[in-house]
Amino acid sequence: MTEIKSCAETEAEIEDEFSLFDDWMDKYSYIIDLSKELPPLDEKYRNDQFLIKGCQSQVWLGAEYRDGRVYFQADSDAIITKGLIYLLIRLLSDRTPQEIIEAQLESLKRIGISDNLSPSRSNGFANMLKQMKMYALVFQTKEG
Amino acid sequence: MNDKLQKIRQQFPILNCRVNDKPLVYLDNAATTQKPLSVIDRMTRYYMEENSNVHRGLHHLSQLGTAAFEESRRAFQKFLNSELAEEVIFTKGTTESINLLAFSFGEAFVHEGDEIIISVMEHHANIVPWQQLCARTGAVLKVVPVNDAGELEMEEYKKLLGPKVKLVSIAHVSNTLGTVNPVAEIIRLGHEAGARVHLDGAQAAAHVQVDVRALDVDFYSLSVHKMYGPMGVGILYGKAALLNAMPPWQTGGEMIDKVTFEKTTFGDLPYKFETGTPDVAGVLASVPALEFLQEVGWDFIAEREHALVKYATEKLAQIGGVSLVGTAKEKGGVVSFNIDGVHSSDAATIFDHFGVAVRSGHHCAQPIMARYGIIGTLRASFAVYNTEEEIDVLVKAIEKTVQMFG
Ligand SMILES: Cc1ncc(COP(=O)(O)O)c(C=O)c1O
């Protein structure tokens, strides 16, 4: 079994990847590329029950809890959102609830895409991060 | 850029801002317009020198404030050409105006089985209050459809009109499509059928001259923040005879005549509809916004907005993969569009890096989006200070977007 990287390690890794680009355009092109890496969403999650409310783009998020770890799946109809989701899932999926709750994700701010994380009600992405933490909290509470 | 336009732009400090290291290109004027210095100064002066509550104190500042507040009402009376100043009710915006109307008109005039007519192009603010009224009373909501260009199907409207229709409530100008509706005809036909007519003027009042008496409209709503004025102020105009027959909506202080624990009798117009402390600074600073519109002049406003819409429409048509939503013959300063295969939120994110502010999404008008089978649009909406050069920046941003996502 390969060692799973900690959230902080993954953050550093992502920051490294983005440090290759100094132009915002290149960063977005990279995010667009990442969107293509997102594993397909299990169709059972593609309905209103799993839709995260946000005016701008639709985001569906599913979560499963197995052996003390949370596994996320998600998709969006907007490509930049999808690329950002890919990053969030890479950071937060396959982790314990505690790790997810504690994750600060400062790196995303440093990368310079933090505008997309601003807690605006029109932003499905910010709501997605909140929802991931909610799932973690619920799983943790159920267990406790 | 001609002198007049330059002088206009100089009055708006925010237009000198930079966004993402680029000059701000503000094309989201249908959401809210920027404010000229005269409006900002008036707000500041109020809080620096005049702040006190209105309609209550006998002391100097309160009397000054009350006088200025009522002067502002008369400025709107003149602006809308209403017969009486008390036909002008201050609200906090179009949404509140329509909620007030839906409650108070509903209480007085709408019963089970009655009908209310709206259209498919309405903003949610002109849909949901009527749905709620219908749910409360058992009245029925009827919806006028639009054609592919985004114009009301007037023949369908005529068919919907009948003896049960109590009120017709339609946008003067559509916020998503830019369509300027044939309001004179809508009102005439409505009246012939015995209905009252309300116009949602949120997108009209800064773009065309509104004369409520010439229109013979029964009710008219507007938001001052979309007319170069402050946030938090709106108007509900209503014919006095109708307003007098309607009960108050919100109740409390200031709007009363006499209160005992057995019974309260309400004050006269307009106060019976204005309870609680209003946004006095906003109401006073609305006057320089009206003066700004006056000084610029309706002819210049129409000329510039038509030029900008024409220019943008032509430029956008030259970019492959861009489709316009809303191509009515009579159109205000709104250009809604989609880029083939590109989500509006992705496009807006890229535009932002060009300093371009547009609205993306469903614009609080989901039914009209459903009508066109789309989930949203990008919307560039113009004000009198916008320029052709700014549209060129938008075009560049669109081209880049197409390149990135294509
Ligand atoms: C046509 C229309 N009606 C109503 C409203 C609501 O206005 P407000 O938010 O100022 O109450 C808007 C605002 O976007 C609008 O465009």
Side-chain angles (χ1 to χ4, degrees), chain B residues 385-404:
Chain B
Y385 43 65
N386 286 125
T387 66
E388 279 77 357
E389 289 77 7
E390 290 179 308
I391 293 172
D392 291 339
V393 180
L394 169 68
V395 167
K396 252 198 224 127
I398 298 173
E399 285 168 349
K400 185 72 200 174
T401 306
V402 170
Q403 187 194 329
M404 287 179 82

Side-chain angles (χ1 to χ4, degrees), chain A residues 24-25 28-29 32 55-57 77-81 116, chain B residues 22 343 345-346 349-350 353-354 360 362 375 400 404-405:
Chain A
W24 67 266
M25 210 87 90
Y28 277 114
S29 295
I32 292 168
C55 264
Q56 298 282 309
S57 55
D77 55 349
I79 291 176
I80 292 174
T81 311
N116 291 291
Chain B
K22 305 276 175 14
H343 194 285
S345 91
D346 284 335
T349 304
I350 301 303
H353 282 275
F354 282 83
S360 62
H362 57 59
I375 52 165
K400 185 72 200 174
M404 287 179 82
F405 292 91

Side-chain angles (χ1 to χ4, degrees), chain B residues 30-31 93-96 98 123 125 171 173 175 200 202-203 223 225-226:
Chain B
T94 302
T95 304
E96 190 175 65
I98 299 177
H123 187 282
V173 176
N175 69 317
D200 171 353
Q203 294 299 341
S223 294
H225 72 91
K226 294 180 196 282

Side-chain angles (χ1 to χ4, degrees), chain B residues 11-328:
Chain B
Q11 297 179 46
F12 291 82
I14 207 170
L15 296 180
N16 298 319
C17 278
R18 293 179 75 82
V19 169
N20 285 317
D21 239 9
K22 305 276 175 14
L24 169 66
V25 173
Y26 188 76
L27 301 178
D28 195 15
N29 294 287
T32 196
T33 57
Q34 300 302 343
K35 326 300 177 201
L37 206 51
S38 58
V39 168
I40 300 166
D41 283 347
R42 187 68 191 93
M43 299 276 292
T44 311
R45 183 153 62 86
Y46 176 76
Y47 284 119
M48 300 272 286
E49 299 172 8
E50 299 164 65
N51 180 52
S52 77
N53 215 325
V54 292
H55 299 134
R56 332 193 164 191
L58 278 177
H59 58 82
H60 177 71
L61 286 184
S62 177
Q63 297 215 335
L64 261 187
T66 304
F69 194 88
E70 293 308 316
E71 232 167 78
S72 182
R73 195 189 307 279
R74 282 190 293 278
F76 277 100
Q77 175 196 1
K78 224 173 117 206
F79 181 80
L80 295 169
N81 191 30
S82 77
E83 191 183 341
L84 307 167
E86 58 260 38
E87 291 174 321
V88 173
I89 314 287
F90 281 114
T91 64
K92 67 181 165 71
T94 302
T95 304
E96 190 175 65
S97 297
I98 299 177
N99 274 278
L100 189 169
L101 183 65
F103 179 86
S104 298
F105 183 87
E107 285 289 295
F109 299 112
V110 180
H111 305 100
E112 193 177 343
D114 286 344
E115 292 169 355
I116 310 277
I117 294 181
I118 60 171
S119 89
V120 72
M121 69 167 81
E122 300 310 316
H123 187 282
H124 294 165
N126 196 28
I127 300 175
V128 185
W130 305 116
Q131 277 175 337
Q132 297 296 105
L133 171 64
C134 289
R136 268 197 317 272
T137 56
V140 182
L141 196 62
K142 301 276 176 172
V143 184
V144 183
V146 300
N147 64 19
D148 289 343
E151 294 158 331
L152 289 178
E153 303 259 26
M154 291 300 283
E155 287 309 310
E156 296 301 314
Y157 172 53
K158 284 180 203 161
K159 281 186 211 152
L160 290 179
L161 283 168
K164 289 187 188 153
V165 178
K166 287 289 151 65
L167 187 78
V168 177
S169 183
I170 302 258
H172 189 164
V173 176
S174 153
N175 69 317
T176 30
L177 308 170
T179 311
V180 181
N181 286 318
V183 290
E185 197 187 348
I186 290 170
I187 294 163
R188 183 178 58 76
L189 291 167
H191 285 171
E192 276 172 22
R196 300 296 179 180
V197 181
H198 163 252
L199 295 180
D200 171 353
Q203 294 299 341
H207 305 274
V208 292
Q209 190 164 16
V210 178
D211 181 333
V212 292
R213 262 191 289 179
L215 283 171
D216 192 26
V217 69
D218 300 293
F219 302 99
Y220 198 94
S221 298
L222 58 83
S223 294
V224 179
H225 72 91
K226 294 180 196 282
M227 314 163 55
Y228 309 99
M231 299 247 173
V233 185
I235 300 290
L236 174 67
Y237 158 82
K239 286 180 180 165
L242 290 167
L243 291 177
N244 276 321
M246 288 158 45
W249 173 45
Q250 294 179 335
T251 54
E254 265 217 84
M255 46 86 67
I256 45 81
D257 171 27
K258 188 172 163 57
V259 177
T260 66
F261 282 108
E262 286 70 44
K263 184 177 162 59
T264 294
T265 53
F266 298 115
D268 290 332
L269 279 182
Y271 308 111
K272 78 171 184 184
F273 292 112
E274 291 177 1
T275 189
T277 299
D279 183 346
V280 181
V283 167
L284 303 201
S286 301
V287 176
L290 300 184
E291 286 166 355
F292 170 79
L293 284 166
Q294 213 74 50
E295 275 160 33
V296 173
W298 294 112
D299 290 343
F300 187 78
I301 291 171
E303 181 195 313
R304 284 301 303 151
E305 287 179 1
H306 282 143
L308 290 167
V309 168
K310 184 159 175 281
Y311 187 78
T313 305
E314 283 167 11
K315 288 279 171 180
L316 262 55
Q318 288 166 14
I319 310 173
V322 172
S323 52
L324 293 183
V325 181
T327 49

Side-chain angles (χ1 to χ4, degrees), chain A residues 70-118:
Chain A
V70 185
Y71 297 86
F72 291 110
Q73 289 190 30
D75 196 8
S76 173
D77 55 349
I79 291 176
I80 292 174
T81 311
K82 217 167 140 173
L84 297 171
I85 286 173
Y86 169 84
L87 292 174
L88 272 186
I89 288 194
R90 195 166 136 197
L91 285 161
L92 298 181
S93 195
D94 194 1
R95 304 223 177 268
T96 64
Q98 193 59 31
E99 282 177 294
I100 296 165
I101 292 162
E102 284 171 1
Q104 295 292 323
L105 305 189
E106 286 299 319
S107 63
L108 293 185
K109 272 187 215 141
R110 282 195 297 272
I111 289 169
I113 51 177
S114 60
D115 283 356
N116 291 291
L117 284 167
S118 61

